[in-house]
Structures are given as C-alpha cells and as structure tokens.
Amino acid sequence: IDNSKAPRCLSNYTGKFHESSSRTLIEALAKQVSGRVRWTDNMTSLAAKSAEIFEVGPDRPLSGFFRAAGIASKSVIDLRTAGR
C-alpha cells in the first residue's frame, strides 16, 4: 500500500500524527482505544501544520483547549458565523 499521499490523522494516544505504515497505524489505533487522550499535544501538533484552526459545530468544546495551549482558533457554530 502506498501511503505517501494518505491523509494525516492525529493520534489521541501519542498527541502526534499517525505513522504512515499500516502496521504502525494499526498498533497505534489499538493503543488509542484504552490509552489516555493527549489533548494539549494534539492541539500543538495540529497548530504546527495549519495556518488557521477552525472548530465547526453547534458548541465550542475544543476552543478552550486551544486557548489554554496559547493557540488561536475560530469557531463556526452556524451559517452566520460561517460567512465571516
């Protein structure tokens, strides 16, 4: 399997992006099921790869995590805010 162009996905278990090899990915996903969630590490890893962070949904559960990590984010909670 050629995973070189595969989408990148964050691991709650490590707080970093998953490796691209299938075997490593499967092992990491298995550990993620019962492991602790590393929210701050996830937010930092995501911000390092993104120019802007958007949280989309009716509530803003992640904005507090981003703010606590010193990372700016924008919330899209309805059509009015999506237009901004």
Coordinates of all heavy atoms in Angstrom, one line a residue:
I1 N 0.8 -1.2 0.0 CA 0.0 0.0 0.0 C 0.9 1.2 0.0 O 1.8 1.4 0.8 CB -0.9 0.0 1.2 CG1 -1.9 -1.2 1.2 CG2 -1.7 1.3 1.3 CD1 -2.7 -1.3 2.5
D2 N 0.6 2.2 -0.9 CA 1.3 3.4 -1.0 C 0.6 4.4 -0.1 O -0.4 4.9 -0.5 CB 1.5 3.9 -2.4 CG 2.2 5.3 -2.5 OD1 2.8 5.7 -1.5 OD2 2.1 5.9 -3.6
N3 N 1.1 4.7 1.1 CA 0.5 5.7 2.0 C 1.1 7.1 1.9 O 0.8 7.9 2.7 CB 0.6 5.2 3.4 CG -0.3 4.0 3.6 OD1 -1.4 3.9 3.1 ND2 0.2 3.0 4.4
S4 N 2.0 7.3 0.9 CA 2.7 8.6 0.9 C 1.8 9.8 0.7 O 2.1 10.9 1.1 CB 3.8 8.6 -0.2 OG 3.1 8.4 -1.5
K5 N 0.6 9.5 0.1 CA -0.3 10.6 -0.2 C -1.6 10.5 0.7 O -2.6 11.2 0.5 CB -0.8 10.6 -1.6 CG 0.4 10.7 -2.6 CD 0.3 11.9 -3.4 CE 1.3 11.9 -4.5 NZ 2.4 12.7 -4.4
A6 N -1.5 9.6 1.7 CA -2.7 9.4 2.6 C -2.9 10.6 3.5 O -1.9 11.3 3.8 CB -2.4 8.1 3.4
P7 N -4.1 10.8 3.8 CA -4.4 12.0 4.7 C -3.8 11.7 6.1 O -3.7 10.6 6.5 CB -5.9 12.0 4.8 CG -6.5 10.9 4.0 CD -5.3 10.2 3.4
R8 N -3.3 12.7 6.7 CA -2.7 12.6 8.0 C -3.8 12.7 9.1 O -4.7 13.5 9.0 CB -1.7 13.7 8.2 CG -0.6 13.8 7.1 CD 0.5 12.8 7.2 NE 1.0 12.5 8.5 CZ 2.2 13.0 9.0 NH1 2.9 13.8 8.3 NH2 2.6 12.6 10.2
C9 N -3.6 11.9 10.1 CA -4.6 11.9 11.2 C -3.9 11.9 12.5 O -2.9 11.2 12.7 CB -5.4 10.6 11.1 SG -6.7 10.5 12.3
L10 N -4.4 12.7 13.4 CA -3.7 12.8 14.8 C -4.1 11.6 15.6 O -5.2 11.1 15.6 CB -4.2 14.1 15.5 CG -3.5 15.4 15.0 CD1 -4.2 16.6 15.6 CD2 -2.1 15.4 15.5
S11 N -3.2 11.2 16.4 CA -3.4 10.1 17.4 C -3.7 10.7 18.8 O -2.9 11.5 19.3 CB -2.1 9.3 17.5 OG -2.2 8.4 18.6
N12 N -4.8 10.3 19.4 CA -5.1 10.8 20.7 C -4.1 10.1 21.7 O -3.8 10.7 22.8 CB -6.5 10.4 21.1 CG -7.5 11.3 20.5 OD1 -7.2 12.3 20.0 ND2 -8.7 10.8 20.4
Y13 N -3.6 9.0 21.4 CA -2.7 8.3 22.3 C -1.3 8.9 22.4 O -0.7 9.0 23.4 CB -2.5 6.8 21.8 CG -1.6 6.0 22.6 CD1 -2.0 5.6 23.9 CD2 -0.4 5.6 22.1 CE1 -1.1 4.8 24.7 CE2 0.5 4.8 22.9 CZ 0.1 4.4 24.2 OH 0.9 3.7 24.9
T14 N -0.7 9.4 21.2 CA 0.6 10.0 21.2 C 0.6 11.5 21.2 O 1.5 12.2 21.6 CB 1.4 9.5 20.0 OG1 0.8 10.0 18.8 CG2 1.6 8.0 20.0
G15 N -0.5 12.1 20.7 CA -0.6 13.5 20.5 C 0.1 14.0 19.3 O 0.3 15.2 19.1
K16 N 0.5 13.1 18.4 CA 1.3 13.4 17.2 C 0.5 12.8 16.0 O -0.4 12.0 16.2 CB 2.7 12.9 17.3 CG 3.5 13.5 18.4 CD 4.9 13.0 18.5 CE 5.6 13.7 19.6 NZ 6.9 13.1 19.9
F17 N 0.9 13.1 14.8 CA 0.3 12.5 13.7 C 0.7 11.0 13.6 O 1.8 10.6 13.9 CB 0.7 13.2 12.4 CG 0.1 14.5 12.2 CD1 0.6 15.7 12.7 CD2 -1.2 14.6 11.6 CE1 0.0 16.9 12.6 CE2 -1.8 15.8 11.5 CZ -1.2 17.0 12.0
H18 N -0.3 10.2 13.1 CA 0.0 8.7 13.0 C 1.1 8.5 11.9 O 1.2 9.3 11.0 CB -1.3 8.0 12.5 CG -2.3 7.8 13.6 ND1 -2.1 6.9 14.6 CD2 -3.5 8.3 13.8 CE1 -3.2 6.9 15.4 NE2 -4.0 7.8 14.9
E19 N 1.8 7.4 12.1 CA 2.8 7.0 11.1 C 2.1 6.5 9.9 O 0.9 6.1 10.0 CB 3.7 5.9 11.7 CG 4.5 6.3 12.9 CD 5.6 7.2 12.5 OE1 6.2 7.1 11.4 OE2 5.9 8.1 13.4
S20 N 2.7 6.5 8.7 CA 2.0 6.1 7.5 C 2.0 4.6 7.3 O 1.3 4.1 6.4 CB 2.7 6.8 6.3 OG 4.0 6.5 6.2
S21 N 2.9 3.8 7.9 CA 2.9 2.4 7.7 C 1.6 1.7 8.3 O 1.2 2.1 9.4 CB 4.1 1.7 8.2 OG 4.0 1.5 9.6
S22 N 1.1 0.8 7.6 CA -0.2 0.1 8.0 C 0.0 -0.6 9.4 O -0.9 -0.5 10.3 CB -0.6 -0.9 7.0 OG -1.0 -0.2 5.8
R23 N 1.1 -1.3 9.6 CA 1.3 -2.0 10.8 C 1.4 -1.0 12.0 O 0.8 -1.3 13.1 CB 2.6 -2.8 10.7 CG 2.8 -3.6 12.0 CD 4.0 -4.5 11.9 NE 4.1 -5.2 13.2 CZ 5.1 -6.0 13.5 NH1 6.1 -6.2 12.6 NH2 5.2 -6.6 14.6
T24 N 2.2 0.0 11.9 CA 2.3 1.0 12.9 C 1.0 1.7 13.2 O 0.7 1.9 14.4 CB 3.4 2.1 12.6 OG1 4.6 1.4 12.2 CG2 3.7 3.0 13.7
L25 N 0.2 2.0 12.2 CA -1.1 2.6 12.4 C -2.0 1.7 13.1 O -2.7 2.2 14.1 CB -1.7 3.0 11.0 CG -3.1 3.6 11.0 CD1 -3.1 4.9 11.8 CD2 -3.5 3.8 9.6
I26 N -2.1 0.5 12.8 CA -2.9 -0.5 13.5 C -2.6 -0.6 15.0 O -3.4 -0.6 15.8 CB -2.9 -1.9 12.8 CG1 -3.6 -1.7 11.4 CG2 -3.6 -2.9 13.6 CD1 -3.4 -2.9 10.5
E27 N -1.3 -0.7 15.2 CA -0.8 -0.8 16.6 C -1.2 0.5 17.4 O -1.6 0.4 18.6 CB 0.7 -1.0 16.7 CG 1.1 -2.4 16.2 CD 2.6 -2.6 16.1 OE1 3.4 -1.6 16.5 OE2 3.1 -3.6 15.6
A28 N -1.0 1.6 16.8 CA -1.3 2.9 17.5 C -2.8 3.0 17.7 O -3.2 3.5 18.8 CB -0.8 4.1 16.7
L29 N -3.6 2.6 16.8 CA -5.1 2.7 17.0 C -5.5 1.7 18.1 O -6.4 2.1 18.9 CB -5.8 2.4 15.7 CG -5.7 3.4 14.6 CD1 -6.3 2.9 13.3 CD2 -6.4 4.7 15.0
A30 N -4.9 0.6 18.2 CA -5.3 -0.4 19.3 C -4.9 0.3 20.6 O -5.7 0.2 21.6 CB -4.5 -1.7 19.1
K31 N -3.8 0.9 20.7 CA -3.4 1.5 22.0 C -4.3 2.7 22.3 O -4.5 3.0 23.5 CB -1.9 2.0 21.9 CG -0.9 0.9 21.9 CD 0.5 1.4 21.8 CE 1.5 0.2 21.7 NZ 2.8 0.7 21.5
Q32 N -4.8 3.4 21.3 CA -5.6 4.6 21.5 C -6.9 4.3 22.1 O -7.5 5.1 22.8 CB -5.8 5.3 20.1 CG -6.5 6.5 20.1 CD -6.5 7.3 18.8 OE1 -5.4 7.6 18.4 NE2 -7.6 7.5 18.2
V33 N -7.4 3.1 21.9 CA -8.7 2.7 22.4 C -8.8 2.8 23.9 O -9.8 3.2 24.5 CB -9.1 1.2 22.0 CG1 -10.3 0.7 22.7 CG2 -9.3 1.2 20.4
S34 N -7.7 2.4 24.6 CA -7.7 2.4 26.1 C -6.7 3.4 26.7 O -6.7 3.5 27.9 CB -7.5 1.0 26.6 OG -6.2 0.6 26.2
G35 N -6.0 4.1 25.9 CA -5.0 5.0 26.4 C -5.6 6.3 26.7 O -6.7 6.7 26.4
R36 N -4.8 7.1 27.4 CA -5.3 8.5 27.8 C -5.2 9.4 26.5 O -4.4 9.2 25.6 CB -4.5 9.1 28.9 CG -3.0 9.4 28.6 CD -2.3 9.8 29.8 NE -0.9 10.2 29.4 CZ -0.4 11.4 29.7 NH1 -1.0 12.3 30.4 NH2 0.8 11.7 29.3
V37 N -6.0 10.4 26.5 CA -6.1 11.4 25.4 C -5.1 12.5 25.7 O -5.1 13.1 26.8 CB -7.5 11.9 25.2 CG1 -7.5 13.0 24.2 CG2 -8.4 10.8 24.9
R38 N -4.2 12.8 24.8 CA -3.2 13.9 25.0 C -3.7 15.1 24.2 O -3.1 15.4 23.2 CB -1.9 13.3 24.5 CG -1.4 12.1 25.3 CD -0.1 11.6 24.8 NE 0.9 12.6 25.0 CZ 1.9 12.5 25.9 NH1 1.9 11.5 26.6 NH2 2.7 13.5 26.0
W39 N -4.7 15.8 24.8 CA -5.3 16.9 24.1 C -4.3 18.0 23.8 O -4.3 18.6 22.7 CB -6.5 17.5 24.9 CG -7.7 16.7 24.8 CD1 -8.3 15.9 25.8 CD2 -8.5 16.5 23.7 NE1 -9.4 15.3 25.3 CE2 -9.6 15.6 24.0 CE3 -8.5 17.0 22.4 CZ2 -10.6 15.3 23.1 CZ3 -9.5 16.6 21.5 CH2 -10.5 15.7 21.9
T40 N -3.6 18.4 24.7 CA -2.6 19.6 24.5 C -1.6 19.2 23.4 O -1.4 20.1 22.6 CB -1.9 19.9 25.8 OG1 -2.9 20.2 26.8 CG2 -1.0 21.1 25.6
D41 N -1.1 18.0 23.4 CA -0.2 17.6 22.4 C -0.9 17.6 21.0 O -0.3 17.9 20.0 CB 0.4 16.2 22.7 CG 1.3 16.3 23.9 OD1 1.8 17.4 24.3 OD2 1.5 15.2 24.6
N42 N -2.1 17.1 21.0 CA -2.9 17.1 19.7 C -3.1 18.5 19.2 O -2.9 18.7 18.0 CB -4.3 16.5 19.9 CG -4.3 15.0 19.8 OD1 -3.3 14.4 19.4 ND2 -5.4 14.3 20.2
M43 N -3.4 19.4 20.0 CA -3.7 20.8 19.6 C -2.4 21.4 19.1 O -2.4 22.1 18.1 CB -4.2 21.6 20.8 CG -5.5 21.2 21.4 SD -6.8 21.1 20.2 CE -7.9 20.0 21.1
T44 N -1.3 21.2 19.8 CA 0.0 21.7 19.4 C 0.5 21.1 18.0 O 0.9 21.9 17.2 CB 1.1 21.5 20.5 OG1 0.6 22.0 21.7 CG2 2.4 22.1 20.1
S45 N 0.3 19.8 17.9 CA 0.7 19.2 16.6 C -0.2 19.7 15.4 O 0.3 20.0 14.3 CB 0.5 17.7 16.7 OG 1.4 17.1 17.6
L46 N -1.5 19.9 15.7 CA -2.4 20.4 14.6 C -2.0 21.8 14.3 O -1.9 22.2 13.1 CB -3.8 20.3 15.1 CG -4.9 20.7 14.1 CD1 -4.8 19.9 12.9 CD2 -6.2 20.7 14.8
A47 N -1.8 22.7 15.3 CA -1.4 24.0 15.0 C -0.1 24.2 14.2 O 0.1 25.1 13.4 CB -1.4 24.8 16.3
A48 N 0.8 23.3 14.5 CA 2.1 23.3 13.8 C 2.0 23.1 12.3 O 2.8 23.5 11.5 CB 3.1 22.3 14.4
K49 N 0.9 22.4 11.9 CA 0.7 22.0 10.5 C -0.3 22.9 9.8 O -0.6 22.7 8.6 CB 0.3 20.5 10.4 CG 1.3 19.5 10.8 CD 2.3 19.3 9.7 CE 3.2 18.1 10.2 NZ 4.2 17.9 9.2
S50 N -0.9 23.8 10.5 CA -2.0 24.6 10.0 C -1.8 26.1 10.1 O -1.3 26.5 11.1 CB -3.3 24.2 10.7 OG -3.6 22.8 10.7
A51 N -2.2 26.8 9.1 CA -2.2 28.3 9.1 C -3.3 28.8 10.0 O -3.1 29.8 10.7 CB -2.2 28.9 7.7
E52 N -4.5 28.2 9.9 CA -5.6 28.6 10.7 C -6.3 27.4 11.3 O -6.4 26.3 10.6 CB -6.6 29.4 9.9 CG -6.1 30.8 9.5 CD -7.2 31.5 8.7 OE1 -7.4 31.2 7.5 OE2 -7.8 32.4 9.4
I53 N -6.9 27.5 12.5 CA -7.7 26.4 13.1 C -9.1 26.8 13.1 O -9.5 27.9 13.6 CB -7.2 26.1 14.5 CG1 -5.7 25.8 14.6 CG2 -8.0 25.0 15.2 CD1 -5.3 24.5 13.9
F54 N -10.0 26.0 12.6 CA -11.5 26.2 12.6 C -12.1 25.1 13.4 O -11.9 23.9 13.1 CB -12.1 26.3 11.2 CG -11.7 27.5 10.5 CD1 -10.6 27.5 9.7 CD2 -12.4 28.7 10.5 CE1 -10.2 28.6 8.9 CE2 -12.1 29.8 9.8 CZ -10.9 29.8 9.0
E55 N -13.0 25.4 14.3 CA -13.8 24.4 15.0 C -15.2 24.6 14.5 O -15.8 25.6 14.5 CB -13.8 24.6 16.5 CG -14.6 23.6 17.3 CD -14.5 23.8 18.8 OE1 -14.0 24.8 19.3 OE2 -15.1 22.9 19.4
V56 N -15.7 23.5 13.9 CA -17.0 23.5 13.3 C -18.0 22.7 14.1 O -17.7 21.5 14.4 CB -17.0 23.0 11.9 CG1 -18.4 23.0 11.2 CG2 -16.0 23.8 11.1
G57 N -19.1 23.3 14.5 CA -20.2 22.6 15.3 C -21.0 23.5 16.1 O -20.6 24.7 16.3
P58 N -22.1 23.0 16.7 CA -23.0 23.9 17.4 C -22.4 24.4 18.7 O -22.9 25.4 19.2 CB -24.2 23.0 17.6 CG -23.7 21.6 17.6 CD -22.5 21.6 16.6
D59 N -21.5 23.7 19.3 CA -20.9 24.2 20.5 C -19.4 24.4 20.2 O -18.9 24.2 19.1 CB -21.1 23.1 21.6 CG -22.5 23.0 22.0 OD1 -23.2 24.0 22.1 OD2 -23.0 21.8 22.2
R60 N -18.7 24.8 21.2 CA -17.2 25.1 21.1 C -16.4 24.3 22.1 O -15.7 24.9 22.9 CB -17.0 26.6 21.1 CG -17.6 27.3 19.9 CD -17.3 28.8 20.1 NE -18.2 29.2 21.2 CZ -18.7 30.4 21.3 NH1 -18.5 31.3 20.4 NH2 -19.5 30.7 22.3
P61 N -16.5 23.0 22.2 CA -15.8 22.3 23.2 C -14.3 22.3 23.1 O -13.6 22.2 24.1 CB -16.3 20.8 23.0 CG -16.7 20.7 21.6 CD -17.2 22.1 21.3
L62 N -13.7 22.5 21.9 CA -12.3 22.5 21.8 C -11.6 23.9 21.9 O -10.4 24.0 22.1 CB -11.9 21.9 20.4 CG -12.4 20.4 20.2 CD1 -11.9 20.0 18.8 CD2 -11.8 19.5 21.3
S63 N -12.4 24.9 21.8 CA -11.8 26.3 21.8 C -11.1 26.5 23.1 O -10.0 27.2 23.1 CB -12.9 27.3 21.5 OG -13.9 27.3 22.5
G64 N -11.6 26.0 24.2 CA -10.9 26.2 25.5 C -9.6 25.5 25.5 O -8.6 26.0 26.1
F65 N -9.5 24.3 24.9 CA -8.2 23.6 24.9 C -7.2 24.4 24.1 O -6.1 24.5 24.5 CB -8.4 22.2 24.3 CG -9.1 21.2 25.1 CD1 -10.4 20.7 24.8 CD2 -8.5 20.7 26.3 CE1 -11.0 19.8 25.6 CE2 -9.1 19.8 27.1 CZ -10.4 19.3 26.8
F66 N -7.7 24.9 22.9 CA -6.8 25.7 22.1 C -6.3 26.9 22.8 O -5.1 27.2 22.8 CB -7.4 26.1 20.8 CG -7.5 25.0 19.7 CD1 -8.7 24.4 19.3 CD2 -6.3 24.5 19.2 CE1 -8.7 23.5 18.3 CE2 -6.3 23.5 18.2 CZ -7.5 23.0 17.8
R67 N -7.2 27.6 23.5 CA -6.9 28.8 24.2 C -5.9 28.5 25.3 O -4.9 29.2 25.5 CB -8.2 29.5 24.8 CG -8.0 30.9 25.3 CD -9.2 31.6 25.7 NE -10.4 30.8 26.1 CZ -11.4 30.4 25.3 NH1 -11.5 30.8 24.1 NH2 -12.4 29.7 25.8
A68 N -6.1 27.4 26.1 CA -5.2 27.0 27.1 C -3.8 26.7 26.6 O -2.8 26.9 27.4 CB -5.8 25.9 27.9
A69 N -3.7 26.3 25.4 CA -2.4 26.0 24.8 C -1.8 27.2 24.1 O -0.7 27.1 23.5 CB -2.5 24.8 23.8
G70 N -2.5 28.3 24.2 CA -2.0 29.5 23.5 C -2.1 29.5 22.0 O -1.4 30.2 21.3
I71 N -3.1 28.8 21.5 CA -3.3 28.7 20.1 C -4.7 29.3 19.7 O -5.7 29.1 20.3 CB -3.4 27.2 19.7 CG1 -2.1 26.5 20.1 CG2 -3.7 27.0 18.2 CD1 -2.1 25.0 20.0
A72 N -4.6 30.3 18.7 CA -5.8 30.9 18.3 C -6.6 30.0 17.4 O -6.1 29.2 16.6 CB -5.4 32.2 17.5
S73 N -7.9 30.0 17.6 CA -8.8 29.2 16.8 C -10.1 30.1 16.5 O -10.4 31.0 17.2 CB -9.2 27.9 17.4 OG -10.0 28.2 18.6
K74 N -10.8 29.7 15.4 CA -12.0 30.4 15.0 C -13.1 29.3 15.1 O -12.9 28.2 14.8 CB -11.9 30.9 13.6 CG -10.9 32.0 13.5 CD -10.7 32.4 12.1 CE -9.6 33.5 11.9 NZ -9.4 33.9 10.6
S75 N -14.3 29.8 15.6 CA -15.5 28.9 15.7 C -16.5 29.2 14.6 O -16.8 30.3 14.4 CB -16.1 29.1 17.1 OG -15.2 28.7 18.1
V76 N -17.0 28.1 14.0 CA -18.1 28.2 13.1 C -19.2 27.4 13.7 O -19.2 26.2 13.8 CB -17.7 27.6 11.7 CG1 -18.9 27.7 10.8 CG2 -16.5 28.4 11.1
I77 N -20.2 28.1 14.3 CA -21.3 27.5 15.0 C -22.6 27.5 14.3 O -23.5 26.8 14.6 CB -21.5 28.0 16.4 CG1 -21.7 29.5 16.4 CG2 -20.2 27.7 17.3 CD1 -22.1 30.1 17.7
D78 N -22.7 28.4 13.2 CA -23.9 28.4 12.4 C -23.6 29.1 11.1 O -22.5 29.5 10.9 CB -25.0 29.2 13.2 CG -24.6 30.6 13.7 OD1 -23.7 31.2 13.0 OD2 -25.1 31.0 14.7
L79 N -24.6 29.3 10.3 CA -24.4 29.9 8.9 C -23.9 31.3 9.0 O -23.1 31.8 8.2 CB -25.7 29.8 8.1 CG -26.1 28.4 7.6 CD1 -27.4 28.4 6.9 CD2 -25.0 27.8 6.8
R80 N -24.4 32.1 10.0 CA -24.0 33.4 10.2 C -22.5 33.5 10.5 O -21.8 34.3 9.9 CB -24.8 34.1 11.3 CG -24.5 35.6 11.5 CD -25.4 36.2 12.6 NE -25.5 35.4 13.8 CZ -24.7 35.5 14.9 NH1 -23.7 36.4 14.9 NH2 -24.8 34.7 15.9
T81 N -22.0 32.7 11.4 CA -20.5 32.8 11.7 C -19.7 32.2 10.5 O -18.5 32.5 10.4 CB -20.2 32.1 13.0 OG1 -20.6 30.7 12.9 CG2 -20.8 32.8 14.2
A82 N -20.3 31.3 9.7 CA -19.6 30.7 8.6 C -19.3 31.7 7.5 O -18.3 31.7 6.9 CB -20.3 29.5 8.0
G83 N -20.1 32.7 7.4 CA -20.0 33.8 6.4 C -18.9 34.8 6.8 O -18.4 35.5 5.9
R84 N -18.5 34.8 8.0 CA -17.4 35.8 8.4 C -16.1 35.4 7.9 O -15.3 34.8 7.9 CB -17.4 35.9 9.9 CG -18.6 36.6 10.4 CD -18.4 36.9 11.9 NE -19.7 36.9 12.5 CZ -20.0 36.6 13.8 NH1 -19.0 36.4 14.6 NH2 -21.2 36.7 14.3

